[in-house]
Amino acid sequence: MFFERTVAQTVLNVNDTFPVLLVTGPRQVGKSTLLEKLAAPDRKRVSLDNPTLRALAKTDPELFLQRYAPPVLIDEVQYAPELFPFIKIIVDQRKTPGDFWLTGSQMFRMMQSVTESLAGRVGIVPMLGLTSAELDGRHPGPFTADVPALTARLQAASPKTVTQIFERIFTGSMPRLYETENVNREIYFESYLDTYLSRDIRDLEQVADETAYMNFIRVVAARTATNVNYEALAQETGISAPTAKKWLSILISCGIVALIEPYSNNALKRVVKAPRMYFLDTGLCAHLMGWGSAAVLENSAMSGAFFETWVVGEIYKSYLNAGKRPPLYFYRDSNKKEIDLILWQNGRVNPIEIKKSSAPKDAVKNFSVLNPIANTPETNESGASHLKTEIGTGAVVCMASDLIPIDRSNWFVPAWII
């Protein structure tokens, strides 16, 4: 089964703009499948997972590119960074958009080679797993809190119960798990982790102890939707804080974890500066923590954190799929007042709270912490306008059955429309 991917249009746009297209992301999210679906019949296809072809690409990249001349799709290009200088020579001679399509699932070292050799010649498209909208056959575009956009989403979406949503949270976003009912989820994720360690991590100097690194991944999974604390991560794993920072950066560069930075404005005081981390595949996160079923996860003490992780991941992917950097932040101050998510774009902030219940009480109470940055006539007269911004519609993403106004400024937003 092939799922139509929202990111396809971004891929085509980049293809028309740059001579080199690089689609990056974790393993098995569908990068190769998508590009093969979009490729014209005359585009050659080659994978560097093949050890013979990989050896040729590394030892004689010029001969390799004579055999696989453009237009060409080269899978897992991170295994042969020796190709990049020769690709540069070819694209500078031909100046043809879309000559080279590349995929890469191990970004830690590859991006340095790409930046050095192909700067200005390559368009990079990050790709993650399936969104809930894609599973439903919808392609609504980047999530916004504007009421007309939310209304359009509501009209196109089908209602889901909290049980149905937790089935998706538990399964995760890997296309293979939705292609057939015969896939054993436990075996799939164990094989995935083994492949990740053996192919993408084992050759990195930053990871000398695979057992400790696997324990570290489990600790990060247990802390999804919390602020990063390197000392705590190090203590729980038995490593140093600098090592914890390096290892987390590997998870981020491989597209397994995303960091959301705190919203910063000099008009806001005592704001916590540590970023917040989220696992980007809730299925893998649940597997690492040993949850045996969606029902058990839904009724666990971690259900709220998983629900928040899923919502943030869906919104995050909606921007990546549109070729945009996710404008996502969060708020927490020393008084422990929090706003789960803040959209900050076009000079406007939209506060977003995420709750698993259907009609959470006092969900917007912390939105008032943004009042000091509100752009009003009084602040313009005081000369502080450079610290001010527009406060847009607030949203409480929850299990509401409909798009419902809370007050004049804030709305309950059903989680199944994101």
Side-chain angles (χ1 to χ4, degrees), residues 51-71:
T52 302
L53 295 175
R54 185 191 316 167
L56 176 61
K58 292 178 70 67
T59 58
D60 197 340
E62 190 170 13
L63 179 60
F64 178 91
L65 292 173
Q66 288 177 14
R67 169 63 182 85
Y68 298 102

Side-chain angles (χ1 to χ4, degrees), residues 197 201 206-220 233-240 243-244 247-248 251:
L197 286 172
I201 298 303
Q206 288 85 353
V207 180
D209 187 338
E210 292 178 17
T211 302
Y213 185 71
M214 182 57 68
N215 289 335
F216 176 80
I217 298 176
R218 291 192 176 94
V219 169
V220 172
L233 291 172
Q235 186 175 5
E236 290 186 43
T237 315
I239 57 177
S240 67
T243 298
W247 286 4
L248 185 61
L251 291 176

